[in-house]
DNA sequence: TGTACATCAGTGAACGCGCGTTCACTGATGTAC
DNA sequence: TGTACATCAGTGAACGCGCGTTCACTGATGTAC
């Protein structure tokens, strides 16, 4: 049967939200059409009223996840007095490590995108914007380019969260987060 | 028919080698039983003469890939005069970025292991050994713990390679590798 | 040393299963008059 | 404003396909005598 346009729009939004979370939790290839639809409270048949196919959903979910990641960065950049400190404490926290579904899409999906080919352009655009904002928004040590420092910080944060998620030992996992935060703060 | 024990052992070795490469290229879940067997020159039926099931092959392939990664580290630690410099130049090179199959297993597989659960213990053991060796084998800046510096360096290298593989723009990809290397060398 | 036979790695057909996708159908919505 | 009808999001059965896994079979190897 036909549904009110507004309700359909709301359902589509629910779908995007569920897909962006699940994709970060299970990977772009790790979520099935059925489970995304189920999470949004529908049956699998309606999937093709919202997406052309599974690949397009993956791309859309990635884009949505990246937008949410961006929103998080914006929020932190408004923090006073020290946005960089706030950012490092959030990003390298156990909470972020343990909740990939609502966390940074680069840490969750960059590795898979690297081998799949799908989403590499979107990821490049996202990373460019990310680097511009943190290179300009944070205070950096004198003596070397802000952009290079922003790249090191980004690589270290992403790598630290990925490694912290990949080990089963809680002490080692926490140590990775703590040491990375300490080192990045120590250098200015 | 029955085959000479020595030939069987050689085939098993071929299987491990192929699996460890393919798993780094396509992910632990991204390789099928058939394609691994085909790569080793056999048909899929013989798979179960070598492994209990697909999951066990994935674990074995991960372990093999980590051993090969370790062997690479050992080799670099013997480099003169500056093993750290050699290490950073290899790890953060376009060659390493473009050849995940024979590259670092952490960069290739840590993200997937983080969400799968399989291999987290093996990964923790590997990372422990890795950190011990580079914390002890390289020269570090005074003023903060060698281990913390080793962790930052590892996180940054792994993150940089993952990000460099995830973007389609060659300039940005190279910039990530170059900036990370420059920054890590600059700090001693 | 020669003979008889159990072993077992490898082959390729066959299996059930979950997947992405298609389709006939439903019926309230929104539109044309 | 009321009526007739086309639209289309959503349902659930059905599809083909590739996957991991099983199985009967092969025949040279390695062993027992």
């Amino acid at each position: 049967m036909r549904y009110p346009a507004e309700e359909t729009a709301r359902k589509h939004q629910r779908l995007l939200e569920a897909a962006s979370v699940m994709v970060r939790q299970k990977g772009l290839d790790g979520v099935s059409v059925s489970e995304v639809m189920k999470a949004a409270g529908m049956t699998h048949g309606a999937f093709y009223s919202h997406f052309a196919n599974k690949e397009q959903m993956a791309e859309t979910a990635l884009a949505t996840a990246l937008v949410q990641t961006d929103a998080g960065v914006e929020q932190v950049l408004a923090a006073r007095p020290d946005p960089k400190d706030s950012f490092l404490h959030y990003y390298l926290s156990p909470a972020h490590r343990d909740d990939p579904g609502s966390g940074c899409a680069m840490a969750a999906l960059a590795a898979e995108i690297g081998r799949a080919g799908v989403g590499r352009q979107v990821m490049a655009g996202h990373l460019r914007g990310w680097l511009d904002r943190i290179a300009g928004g944070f205070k950096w040590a004198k003596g070397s380019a802000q952009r290079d420092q922003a790249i090191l910080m980004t690589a270290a944060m992403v790598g630290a969260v990925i490694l912290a998620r990949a080990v089963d030992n809680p002490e080692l996992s926490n140590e990775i987060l703590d040491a990375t935060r300490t080192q990045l703060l120590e250098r200015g």
Side-chain angles (χ1 to χ4, degrees), chain A:
Chain A
M1 61 173 237
R2 191 159 179 173
Y3 295 82
E6 163 195 303
E7 187 185 330
T8 299
R10 239 183 297 121
K11 281 177 183 167
H12 191 73
Q13 210 51 44
R14 281 217 311 274
L15 265 180
L16 290 181
E17 178 58 33
S20 102
V21 169
M22 297 176 79
V23 125
R24 279 176 279 183
Q25 289 170 338
K26 305 182 159 199
L28 293 169
D29 250 42
V31 286
S32 70
V33 165
S34 303
E35 61 184 341
V36 173
M37 295 306 287
K38 195 174 177 181
M42 290 182 279
T43 54
H44 65 277
F47 181 84
Y48 297 89
S49 296
H50 291 271
F51 304 104
N53 49 44
K54 199 199 174 185
E55 184 174 331
Q56 195 222 311
M57 180 206 65
E59 287 173 22
T60 309
L62 169 65
T64 305
L66 288 170
V67 165
Q68 291 177 2
T69 304
D70 273 336
V73 177
E74 287 300 343
Q75 207 173 320
V76 170
L77 285 180
R80 301 290 168 222
D82 192 341
K84 188 175 161 190
D85 187 83
S86 308
F87 194 50
L88 284 166
H89 272 89
Y90 157 68
Y91 200 103
L92 296 166
S93 68
H96 182 208
R97 174 196 61 198
D98 298 338
D99 186 16
S102 59
C104 173
M106 291 192 293
L109 297 171
E112 186 178 358
I113 288 168
R115 66 171 80 96
V118 170
R120 297 177 75 212
Q121 193 174 345
V122 182
M123 186 58 83
H126 171 75
L127 183 55
R128 248 190 267 274
W130 166 290
L131 289 174
D132 284 350
R133 260 171 299 158
I134 74 171
F138 292 165
K139 287 179 185 167
W140 301 101
K142 312 224 167 191
S144 73
Q146 294 191 349
R147 187 171 169 85
D148 281 11
Q149 293 187 56
I151 289 174
L152 176 77
M153 178 176 150
T154 302
M157 289 192 312
V158 169
V161 167
I162 288 175
L163 290 174
R165 285 175 180 159
V167 298
D168 66 339
N169 183 284
E171 286 80 33
L172 179 58
S173 183
N174 288 333
E175 189 190 8
I176 293 165
L177 298 178
D178 293 341
T180 304
R181 185 191 326 104
T182 304
Q183 287 288 309
L184 288 175
L185 284 172
E186 216 171 78
R187 298 161 182 233

